Structures are given as structure tokens and as C-alpha cells.
Amino acid sequence: MAMDPSLDSSDNPFVQQVAGEYFVGREGQLKQFHGSLNGLKNGKPQHFYIAGPTGSGKTSYLQKLVDIANEEGTLGVLSTLDYAVPAYDHIASIVKAVAKAIDAKTGSNNLTRDWNKKASSIHFRLSGGDRLLGGDLQSDLSFLQEESNGVRLPKVVVCIDEGQRMEAAALSALKNVLQHVSDFLLILSLRVEDENTSVVEAGRAILDRKAADAEGDYGAARFFAKGVALGPFDTEKEGKCCVTRRLAGNQVSFSDELISLVIDVAGNLPRRIIEFASEIYEHVAETESNIATEEVLRKIFKVRHGDIFTRALELRSQLSDSAQSALKIMLSSGRSVKADDLSAKLYPGVPTQAASTLAKALKGDLDRACQSGFCLDVDGQYRIGDPLRRYALRLALETE
């Protein structure tokens, strides 16, 4: 079946226009928010932070929280912090985001216009200066809460994206004001890249460092009592929904096998899934077919991750046939395994002394794979962990 000639890459459903538009999954994380939202409604807000690596869907999650807040009769606000600006600018951007959200509800631009008057503003004290003063912040937030209440939204949920950028003084100022105010709920998003600890612990470490920088104001860090982890999707089903929702009603189709493979190569990480699927779609849209195949993914992978694929080919050239067969077994099973057990599968029925020699040689090859970054040795158990390296190795081993 030929594709509609009017279809082009501009129809790509994986080029997401609105954060949260195709939000899927995250049931546990949403449950945490609903609990905090109920606390806010009862006058006991439970501020929390979310933490996750780049591409884990933090912005989409925050936008979903804003949508839920608006549906639940509260004012939902999303503010994204700029990089390398003073603490005053961070606080000012948050206050202005709340003002703009209220303007959107009233269909006017009155509050934003007044803010932009700076020193001539009638209602805002922060807009007219460049210093972060707690009294000014409390005055402005109290005024905005009254304005929000005026449109029958007495409680305010403020989601702050790129929270790791927040200056220590800004974090401390928010804590000092909001610990006396029960009408605001803050959710702070933190981008973490520490692979040696859990994302929640890494997020807490960021807050603790900021608290230390704020003259030891550790209350500012503990103000966000709980942390919520955002990493890969919890289930393969969520990853599939991330793809199928976007393809619904589209002429391009992905087989279930291809979707599963994309999810595996992407490590079930939202952004990676979308990036791979987007490039597959773009490729298919430029051909006469409407069927996306694994061959398209192979081509895309070898370009996008050519360095990893090249290193996989180099590793293959250094390994014996037995070691290559062992790696294929590991790729197929997906489990950790000892060199002795692999050797037993490769050489069944071999006498004990010979088996020991063969296992030792195989272990040397596996250690070489570990040194190249394609294997991990954890207490004598070998495994291929990183999903990108796993697929690169699979392609290399299949190459004639």
C-alpha cells in the first residue's frame, strides 16, 4: 500500500508540541501528587520534589500535575527556571508565572501588565527591584492568592521545572515564606545524572548542597519532605502506549515487535523512545511504504550511535568464536551468568580439567568485554547492562 503523497515529516506525531499531551503511566507518581493535593485542600500542603535523569519525562509529568490541579479546582502553574541567573530572577519568574496563570483564567492581561510596570507596579513589590526580600515575596504571594481566590481557585499548585538551577538563596526564601502559608503547594523538578545512587537520593543531595550554600539552612532542603523518582517507564506496557497513542489514526504503522525492540533499545526511557520512534517515522515518511521495520531502526541506530557500534565491531574482532557465542547467549537470556556456567553451555560433556581451562579462557574474553564497557562483572556474574551497548553488540555479532 502506497502512502498518501500529502504525508510528510511535518505530520510526525512524535514531534511533541505540548508537554504532557500524550502522557502515559506514572500511576505511583500521580498517587503521590493526589495525596499532596488533598493535603493542600485541607490546609496542610506536602511539598515534594521529583528527580530523574535527562529524558525521563519530568516536564511532561509536571504539565500533567498542572492539568490535574486545574481540573481539581485549584490553580495549576508551571514555571521553568533559567540557567545562571541571580536568586531574585528565579523567584521573580515564579511569581510572574502565577500572575500569568491567573490572567489566563480571567481572560485578561491585567496582572502581567502591572508586573511589567516594575517600580510603578500598583500591586507587586518584587517587580520593581533586583533584590530578593522575604517581605516582598510574602506580600506578592499573598496578593496573588487573593486574586486566585477571586476566580474561585483558593489553592495554588506551583510546579518548578529545572529546579536544580535554583539559587540557594531563592530556595531559602521560598521556604521562609511558604512555611507560614498553607495555600500554596510546591513541586520541584530536579535533573540528576548520578548513576551510582538512586535518583531520589541524588535529588536529596542536590537540595542538601543548596541548603549548605544558604548558610546552612537545611530546613530549606527538608521543606520538600519527600522525593519521587522518575526514570524509565515502570512497565513495557507504558512504553508501548507512549508509541501507540501517537500513531493512532496515522498511516504509518509500527509492528508490536518493532515497538518492543525500540523500548528495549531505549531502556524504556521516555525521551529515547520518542527520539527513536520519531526518526523511524521520518524515514518511513520519505519512502513509498507505510510500514516501519527493524531494518529502519538498524540504520538509524548505526548513525545516531555510530561510535558505540564501531566499538562493538572492534570488540568482536578481538574475541574468539566461543566468546562471541557466549555473548549471544547473554544477549538472549538478559540475565547475569558466571563464566563457568557459560562454558558448560558451550562445551557440554567436556572433562573437568579441560572445562576449567576453557572457562578460564572465556573469562579472559569476558573481562576484555568489561574493559571495553560492554559487560559488567558483579561478584563474578557477567551481564550486559546498558541497552544501547546491548543493541550495538547484537548488531555487531550479527554482521557478516
Side-chain angles (χ1 to χ4, degrees):
M1 175 181 175
M3 288 187 63
D4 184 340
S6 65
L7 182 65
D8 59 35
S9 60
S10 65
D11 299 304
N12 190 337
F14 297 99
V15 180
Q16 187 169 315
Q17 301 299 320
V18 180
E21 182 179 359
Y22 295 104
F23 186 88
V24 296
R26 307 301 194 188
E27 297 302 324
Q29 293 88 341
L30 291 178
K31 183 178 180 181
Q32 168 67 47
F33 172 66
H34 281 292
S36 294
L37 187 59
N38 288 334
L40 173 66
K41 292 178 178 179
N42 293 323
K44 296 180 180 179
Q46 302 167 18
H47 312 285
F48 67 93
Y49 67 92
I50 65 172
T54 299
S56 57
K58 297 183 295 300
T59 301
S60 292
Y61 175 72
L62 291 182
Q63 184 59 59
K64 182 65 174 180
L65 301 192
V66 169
D67 293 342
I68 294 173
N70 287 325
E71 293 167 359
E72 292 284 330
T74 58
L75 179 68
V77 181
L78 177 60
S79 176
T80 301
L81 301 185
D82 290 331
Y83 177 71
V85 298
Y88 166 84
D89 291 324
H90 285 157
I91 294 298
S93 68
I94 294 169
V95 173
K96 187 175 181 179
V98 177
K100 289 179 68 175
I102 296 173
D103 276 346
K105 295 295 183 182
T106 61
S108 72
N109 197 36
N110 295 338
L111 295 179
T112 304
R113 187 183 302 113
D114 186 39
W115 174 274
N116 291 336
K117 290 180 180 178
K118 300 187 181 298
S120 300
S121 171
I122 298 173
H123 301 291
F124 295 103
R125 289 166 55 175
L126 274 174
S127 65
D130 57 3
R131 296 181 59 198
L132 179 54
L133 300 176
D136 291 348
L137 175 58
Q138 183 159 356
S139 174
D140 287 358
L141 290 182
S142 296
F143 165 70
L144 288 171
Q145 194 281 322
E146 291 175 3
E147 292 295 302
S148 183
N149 194 38
V151 292
R152 299 183 179 180
L153 299 171
K155 304 293 183 179
V156 183
V157 175
V158 181
C159 297
I160 304 173
D161 203 7
E162 299 292 355
Q164 74 283 348
R165 296 175 177 173
M166 184 178 290
E167 288 291 317
L171 184 68
S172 183
L174 279 174
K175 182 268 296 184
N176 289 336
V177 171
L178 291 181
Q179 66 183 349
H180 302 298
V181 178
S182 61
D183 298 315
F184 284 81
L185 170 65
L186 258 61
I187 298 97
L188 189 67
S189 170
L190 301 171
R191 175 158 41 90
V192 300
E193 304 298 346
D194 186 353
E195 298 180 355
N196 297 317
T197 185
S198 75
V199 292
V200 170
E201 291 175 350
R204 175 61 67 192
I206 290 174
L207 292 175
D208 285 343
R209 286 196 297 271
K210 291 185 180 298
D213 292 340
E215 299 181 352
D217 185 6
Y218 286 97
R222 301 301 162 178
F223 181 64
F224 297 92
K226 293 183 178 180
V228 174
L230 275 185
F233 283 122
D234 294 330
T235 66
E236 182 179 341
K237 181 180 179 180
E238 292 178 1
K240 285 185 176 180
C241 285
C242 181
V243 176
T244 56
R245 280 194 181 184
R246 289 170 169 80
L247 287 176
N250 200 289
Q251 290 189 60
V252 174
S253 64
F254 288 28
S255 68
D256 287 342
E257 292 77 11
L258 176 60
I259 294 175
S260 294
L261 183 57
V262 168
I263 291 169
D264 183 60
V265 176
N268 218 5
L269 198 63
R271 180 179 291 181
R272 280 189 186 172
I273 292 174
I274 293 170
E275 287 175 348
F276 276 120
S278 178
E279 291 195 42
I280 291 172
Y281 185 97
E282 294 276 351
H283 182 90
V284 174
E286 294 171 357
T287 69
E288 294 298 320
S289 171
N290 64 345
I291 304 297
T293 65
E294 183 185 349
E295 183 58 32
V296 178
L297 175 60
R298 289 168 177 260
K299 292 178 180 178
I300 289 170
F301 185 90
K302 290 177 182 178
V303 173
R304 174 183 277 269
H305 299 288
D307 57 334
I308 299 177
F309 178 61
T310 298
R311 283 189 279 128
L313 288 174
E314 292 173 351
L315 173 63
R316 176 192 169 180
S317 68
Q318 299 169 8
L319 299 178
S320 65
D321 291 342
S322 296
Q324 292 181 38
S325 296
L327 290 176
K328 289 178 181 179
I329 293 174
M330 293 169 65
L331 287 168
S332 177
S333 70
R335 297 191 298 269
S336 298
V337 62
K338 292 182 178 180
D340 288 347
D341 294 333
L342 280 172
S343 182
K345 288 184 178 181
L346 291 170
Y347 310 109
V350 173
T352 302
Q353 185 174 353
S356 177
T357 301
L358 290 169
K360 184 176 180 180
L362 179 59
K363 184 179 184 305
D365 279 333
L366 293 177
D367 288 340
R368 185 177 293 110
C370 289
Q371 292 170 3
S372 68
F374 283 89
C375 279
L376 294 173
D377 177 1
V378 181
D379 298 328
Q381 298 268 355
Y382 293 92
R383 66 183 179 90
I384 305 170
D386 180 76
L388 296 177
R389 288 179 171 82
R390 187 165 60 233
Y391 190 60
L393 197 54
R394 172 186 155 183
L395 295 182
L397 291 171
E398 292 175 352
T399 301
E400 295 297 333

